[in-house]
Amino acid sequence: MNKEVRHLTENIYFSKQEMLDILELTRILKEAYRAGCVPQLLKGASLAMLFEEPSTRTRVSFENAMHELGGHALFLAPEHIHFGSHEALRDTAKILSSMCAGIMFRTKEHEIIQNFTKYATVPVLNAMTYYNHPTQGICDVFTMTEHLPEGKKLEDLHIVFVGDSSDTGIMAMETGHWCATLGLRYTIASPKRYSLMDSEIQKVQAKMKETGGTLSVTDDIDEAVKDADFIIPDVWVYYGYEDEEEDRMTAFMPKYQLNIELLEKAPSHCKALHCLPANRDVEITSEVMDHPTRSLVFQEAENRL
């Protein structure tokens, strides 16, 4: 095990300056991409992409990014390799580390990727677990830096998450991680039954003590969004929780739906995001998703690259 290798498992483990550096590098690479002159920073390098779960944006963005940077991406689905069945994951980590410059891992249980990094000797990138989604989080905050409200800096932003922030609220926790790292104001609006866990509140607040951020958790949706700069929803029913759909729909609909009426309760500059895939007209309406000035959903998706 190489203790010097840095992995991307949680954005909360970065320092504020490291996160700002990542955002600046992202800006430079996007400009280079638009100009057709992306530097070949990963020329000759291979990235192993382990997918236990399917994805559209994650796979396309990683594969295209490796190509643009001069490298190569290997798509490895569970049925194509000995994925934790005939071979222990620790052995998979060691083998892939000996052949590839990095490993991207999309898996279910966060504990799996935590254990995987103990044996990988190359950087491991968490491309989503059922706990968090750090590559999406970086994309989200970068998108916001491109659309800052007039007169505001990054550190002035008020980010509001609306929806499920319980232990299945992946983007609620992810947003909390990068808000804590950057020292931002973060508000969560959820039904009490589906609100942020005490352990997660303590984790985020501990980081915010270092960076100057603030965390508020409420079930008062109107109070939460009244001075929001960006509003982030996410799906209400996750894979494996279909048996809870009726209860969840009752708890969230219509109060926590990001519709145009809710968006208009926020300042006129407030923008909507969504990590996608979205259930149109459930957690977010088509009117908001497709809004020409208030939605950043598809700009956000493009920025995954």
Side-chain angles (χ1 to χ4, degrees), residues 177-305:
H177 287 187
W178 60 257
C179 281
T181 295
L182 291 168
L184 305 185
R185 179 185 173 195
Y186 182 42
T187 297
I188 291 174
S190 300
K192 291 181 179 179
R193 181 179 175 184
Y194 297 101
S195 194
L196 196 64
M197 301 176 293
D198 288 342
S199 59
E200 194 65 21
I201 291 174
Q202 294 168 8
K203 181 176 182 175
V204 169
Q205 287 181 333
K207 182 74 171 185
M208 285 179 166
K209 285 183 179 179
E210 303 173 13
T211 61
T214 61
L215 171 66
S216 299
V217 181
T218 182
D219 63 349
D220 188 336
I221 188 75
D222 292 347
E223 181 67 21
V225 304
K226 71 178 184 180
D227 59 353
D229 295 307
F230 297 96
I231 301 177
I232 302 172
D234 196 11
V235 296
W236 297 338
V237 182
Y238 298 87
Y239 304 122
Y241 291 86
E242 290 82 3
D243 59 328
E244 299 180 11
E245 183 171 0
E246 184 176 351
D247 289 342
R248 285 174 171 269
M249 291 296 290
T250 299
F252 290 109
M253 183 71 86
K255 183 177 178 181
Y256 295 91
Q257 183 189 65
L258 183 50
N259 50 41
I260 198 66
E261 291 78 19
L262 180 60
L263 189 57
E264 288 179 346
K265 292 179 180 179
S268 59
H269 67 257
C270 181
K271 302 289 195 297
L273 293 92
H274 194 301
C275 65
L276 299 181
N279 296 302
R280 281 179 175 264
D281 301 312
V282 181
E283 73 273 4
I284 185 171
T285 62
S286 292
E287 185 178 14
V288 171
M289 279 188 67
D290 300 326
H291 199 283
T293 61
R294 304 295 295 272
S295 173
L296 295 176
V297 171
F298 296 102
Q299 295 92 322
E300 175 188 8
E302 179 187 357
N303 278 336
R304 287 294 297 275
L305 182 61

Side-chain angles (χ1 to χ4, degrees), residues 8-11 14 19 110 125-129 132-139 174 178:
L8 173 55
T9 57
E10 298 183 34
N11 284 325
F14 284 124
M19 181 63 84
H110 194 65
L125 309 175
N126 175 2
M128 201 188 89
T129 67
N132 69 335
H133 199 347
T135 52
Q136 179 69 52
I138 292 170
C139 163
E174 175 54 47
W178 60 257

Side-chain angles (χ1 to χ4, degrees), residues 110-122:
H110 194 65
E111 184 180 4
I112 292 176
I113 201 165
Q114 290 176 314
N115 290 332
F116 193 84
T117 59
K118 295 177 182 178
Y119 303 98
T121 56
V122 296

Side-chain angles (χ1 to χ4, degrees), residues 32-53:
Y33 178 73
R34 291 284 176 83
C37 56
V38 178
Q40 302 292 282
L41 300 177
L42 297 178
K43 185 176 182 180
S46 291
L47 177 73
M49 301 196 309
L50 289 169
F51 278 89
E52 188 178 11
E53 292 279 278

Side-chain angles (χ1 to χ4, degrees), residues 78-139:
E79 63 270 21
H80 298 157
I81 62 173
H82 299 136
F83 191 86
S85 55
H86 300 296
E87 181 175 77
L89 278 177
R90 67 173 66 183
D91 297 336
T92 301
K94 292 178 180 179
I95 295 300
L96 292 179
S97 295
S98 70
M99 298 181 181
C100 300
I103 303 168
M104 185 231 78
F105 200 172
R106 186 185 188 98
T107 187
K108 297 178 181 179
E109 301 302 324
H110 194 65
E111 184 180 4
I112 292 176
I113 201 165
Q114 290 176 314
N115 290 332
F116 193 84
T117 59
K118 295 177 182 178
Y119 303 98
T121 56
V122 296
V124 176
L125 309 175
N126 175 2
M128 201 188 89
T129 67
Y130 282 5
Y131 171 64
N132 69 335
H133 199 347
T135 52
Q136 179 69 52
I138 292 170
C139 163

